[in-house]
Amino acid sequence: MMAVMLLAAALGLLASCGSKNDAIESFDQLNQPDVKIGVASDSTEFALVQENFPQAEIVYAKDLMSSFESISQGKMDAFVGNKINMELALHNGLKGTRLLDGTLGPGNVAGAAISPHTEIPDLKNRINEFLGQIKADGTLDEMRERWMVKRDMTMPDIPEAKDPKYHLTVGTTGMSEPFTCYVDGELSGYDIELAKRFASWLGASIEFKIYDYEGIVPSALGGDVDCIFANLYKTPERQQALEFSDPTFIVEVGIMVRDESSGTPANFLASLEESFDKTFMRENRWQLFAQGIGTTLLITVLSILLGTLIGFAAFMACRKGNRVANAVTRFCIWLIEGMPVVVLLMILYYIVFSNTDLSGVAVSVIAFTLIFAAAVFNMLKAGVAAVGPGQMEAAYSLGYTDTMAFFNIVLPQALPHAMPTYKAQIRSLIKATAVVGYVAVQDLTKMGDIVRSRTYEAFFPLIAVAVIYFVLAALLIWMVNRIELRAIPGRKSSEDTQKEAQEQ
């Protein structure tokens, strides 16, 4: 693992050598054809950049961490976004970047977004009434001072509602410090405190669901949450789809550029040790990885078991040539295999099961069960086709029924042909589960992103996630190999084969 980390670091250093050397010192330098300016997708910054820097090339960024990394590596020349996020990142040790003096535009207005499907009556007006009260009594100003100025990341104790009249489900991201983030393994931040205070004021129990910013608006539109507290900006497109509360915060827009003077650590090994500590040990962040591993394994194992059963049942229904069963199965497999995994997952979550109480984990299991079942069907079809028809004829001549002949003669010969593909599908499945963060599931990849949002480093979180996926895949394949040795007559382990070769 250490060799992989050192190689990745060396390649990163080599890549950075080819970046631009001209330091950007002012806004005027950004209005050039060869300048790349990053903005968050579906944000007001896009219009600001178009208006102020019409000659520059605009690049969409997935999230803050990726943007900061792209700046420090020279892949983008500047990033336009939330100035508070940037200031806090620099305060927490982000290297290789700096802020230009000044702000761009009047600022972004953030508010709580209201789902059109919420069952809490008059939710928008109630949030506005609550905001008006805490503004009048000074609570809102105290919160802003504590989170934004003093940068105190300690969540105060907020009493829960006794005998709650409602259940408030809140969508957030957990990836925008200091508004919504994880501290000591728990959700924290300005918007999280605001949501908890509102739930206590309303007399409601509260539940948080975690999404990427790409998925948080669809979650409200689909009725998966009652409202969104995530420093969500009021853009014209969002306001056409969702109602917004009065402003919860007005965010200044800043510009981050590369700072080569702070990008290279003096002691490489010391920086590795510091990164390891920030990624795993500080605030017990290893527990986030452990939670993600558990969720990833749960989805993968259940999908394998259910997919194997459904795929086998579908094959048995089609084996004798039933036209209806074959037509339905072919259509389903065509539909599943022709659709990107993330699209299938989002269709199931936001459309098919939007009005149910199924969790993101349950919907993920359904999606990957369908995918694995389609693969199992095709594997069995190919494996059985590899067994000559004479085997069935011989079985019939010995008095076997069709079912007895299949399970005792054909299937044992077909499985060795199907097992290599079956194991490959398991490896593919566990890697494919990395997209479940789109439907509010905190799997291994999502937890890695959450850690990156606090450390502002890509190296250790990404390498750790990659290594863990390798280990999980190897563990599952080892378990399948053990089962295969017991289930298929005549199969030998690699150790037994080596011993026989040595004896000969």
Side-chain angles (χ1 to χ4, degrees):
M1 178 176 175
M2 183 56 69
V4 174
M5 291 181 175
L6 291 173
L7 177 60
L11 290 174
L13 290 174
L14 287 174
S16 65
C17 292
S19 59
K20 298 177 183 179
N21 295 318
D22 295 338
I24 296 175
E25 302 292 343
S26 67
F27 287 13
D28 294 337
Q29 292 176 262
L30 296 173
N31 193 25
Q32 304 292 334
D34 61 341
V35 171
K36 293 183 179 180
I37 301 178
V39 297
S41 59
D42 190 25
S43 68
T44 57
E45 285 88 1
F46 179 85
L48 283 174
V49 173
Q50 278 190 321
E51 178 183 349
N52 291 274
F53 314 114
Q55 297 186 52
E57 177 184 351
I58 300 177
V59 180
Y60 284 109
K62 180 180 182 295
D63 51 48
L64 286 175
M65 301 87 67
S66 301
S67 305
F68 297 161
E69 292 154 11
S70 296
I71 292 294
S72 64
Q73 295 168 4
K75 296 176 181 177
M76 291 191 305
D77 298 293
F79 177 74
V80 178
N82 187 323
K83 190 174 183 179
I84 290 178
N85 288 143
M86 298 175 184
E87 289 174 338
L88 189 56
L90 292 170
H91 173 76
N92 289 340
L94 177 65
K95 304 295 183 183
T97 64
R98 58 186 172 84
L99 276 171
L100 294 180
D101 293 334
T103 58
L104 191 66
N108 289 320
V109 178
I114 318 301
S115 169
H117 302 290
T118 181
E119 295 182 355
I120 299 177
D122 205 23
L123 182 56
K124 175 185 174 181
N125 289 332
R126 291 186 178 197
I127 293 177
N128 288 340
E129 182 183 353
F130 161 74
L131 290 173
Q133 287 186 14
I134 64 172
K135 184 177 181 180
D137 65 19
T139 302
L140 195 60
D141 289 336
E142 185 273 331
M143 286 176 56
R144 290 171 178 171
E145 174 76 14
R146 179 161 35 86
W147 289 105
M148 312 303 170
V149 180
K150 295 181 179 179
R151 294 166 180 161
D152 181 359
M153 303 301 292
T154 305
M155 175 67 72
D157 291 329
I158 300 171
E160 296 181 358
K162 296 179 179 179
D163 300 323
K165 297 178 290 184
Y166 307 103
H167 180 72
L168 180 69
T169 304
V170 177
T172 191
T173 67
M175 296 172 62
S176 181
E177 189 179 12
F179 299 95
T180 166
C181 58
Y182 278 83
V183 177
D184 292 326
E186 299 292 333
L187 264 178
S188 186
Y190 173 82
D191 276 279
I192 304 303
E193 179 180 344
L194 204 58
K196 287 185 174 182
R197 287 187 182 277
F198 172 66
S200 179
W201 177 89
L202 182 65
S205 59
I206 189 169
E207 174 191 1
F208 289 98
K209 290 191 174 183
I210 309 300
Y211 301 86
D212 290 331
Y213 273 108
E214 292 89 340
I216 200 166
V217 171
S219 74
L221 291 173
D224 196 42
V225 298
D226 294 301
C227 58
I228 298 170
F229 279 85
N231 191 43
L232 192 68
Y233 301 158
K234 297 182 180 181
T235 64
E237 292 81 6
R238 287 172 179 166
Q239 288 180 293
Q240 288 177 3
L242 298 171
E243 286 191 308
F244 276 80
S245 71
D246 292 339
T248 56
F249 199 79
I250 297 178
V251 181
E252 290 184 334
V253 178
I255 300 180
M256 178 175 280
V257 296
R258 192 178 187 200
D259 182 10
E260 295 187 10
S261 63
S262 66
T264 304
N267 188 321
F268 177 68
L269 292 179
S271 70
L272 286 181
E273 183 179 353
E274 181 184 2
S275 296
F276 180 86
D277 177 69
K278 287 198 297 184
T279 300
F280 299 109
M281 310 311 297
R282 194 172 299 177
E283 298 180 1
N284 292 321
R285 288 173 185 154
W286 63 269
Q287 294 179 356
L288 294 176
F289 285 102
Q291 293 172 23
I293 290 170
T295 302
T296 295
L297 278 177
L298 177 65
I299 294 171
T300 302
V301 172
L302 287 179
S303 299
I304 291 171
L305 294 176
L306 295 174
T308 300
L309 291 174
I310 293 174
F312 185 80
F315 176 79
M316 293 301 294
C318 298
R319 185 173 67 89
K320 301 297 291 182
N322 184 294
R323 290 185 178 182
V324 175
N326 274 276
V328 171
T329 302
R330 281 197 303 269
F331 174 77
C332 291
I333 291 176
W334 170 79
L335 198 63
I336 293 168
E337 292 184 341
M339 196 181 304
V341 175
V342 68
V343 175
L344 172 63
L345 188 64
M346 294 181 75
I347 287 175
L348 290 176
Y349 189 75
Y350 292 116
I351 299 176
V352 178
F353 297 108
S354 62
N355 295 321
T356 70
D357 293 329
L358 285 179
S359 66
V361 172
V363 174
S364 298
V365 170
I366 293 172
F368 288 105
T369 293
L370 294 174
I371 292 169
F372 200 76
V376 168
F377 179 89
N378 289 328
M379 281 183 269
L380 287 171
K381 187 175 180 180
V384 170
V387 180
Q391 299 293 319
M392 287 293 288
E393 294 173 2
Y396 291 149
S397 67
L398 294 174
Y400 281 78
T401 64
D402 180 75
T403 302
M404 291 172 59
F406 177 78
F407 282 100
N408 292 283
I409 304 298
V410 176
L411 188 59
Q413 297 181 66
L415 286 179
H417 296 283
M419 286 309 295
T421 307
Y422 186 82
K423 296 171 190 176
Q425 284 296 325
I426 290 176
R427 293 190 185 95
S428 298
L429 179 68
I430 194 168
K431 291 184 289 184
T433 59
V435 302
V436 296
Y438 281 94
V439 293
V441 176
Q442 297 179 52
D443 70 318
L444 176 57
T445 299
K446 182 66 175 180
M447 288 303 191
D449 288 342
I450 288 172
V451 171
R452 286 172 60 212
S453 72
R454 292 300 315 283
T455 64
Y456 303 102
E457 291 187 1
F459 184 71
F460 265 96
L462 291 179
I463 292 297
V465 168
V467 170
I468 292 170
Y469 272 115
F470 273 111
V471 172
L472 294 181
L475 176 63
L476 289 175
I477 296 302
W478 178 84
M479 293 173 64
V480 171
N481 284 336
R482 297 299 99 187
I483 296 172
E484 182 183 6
L485 289 174
R486 292 179 178 274
I488 302 179
R491 298 292 285 179
K492 298 178 180 179
S493 66
S494 58
E495 293 83 357
D496 294 337
T497 304
Q498 291 176 1
K499 288 180 181 178
E500 291 182 359
Q502 291 174 356
E503 291 174 357
Q504 294 176 356

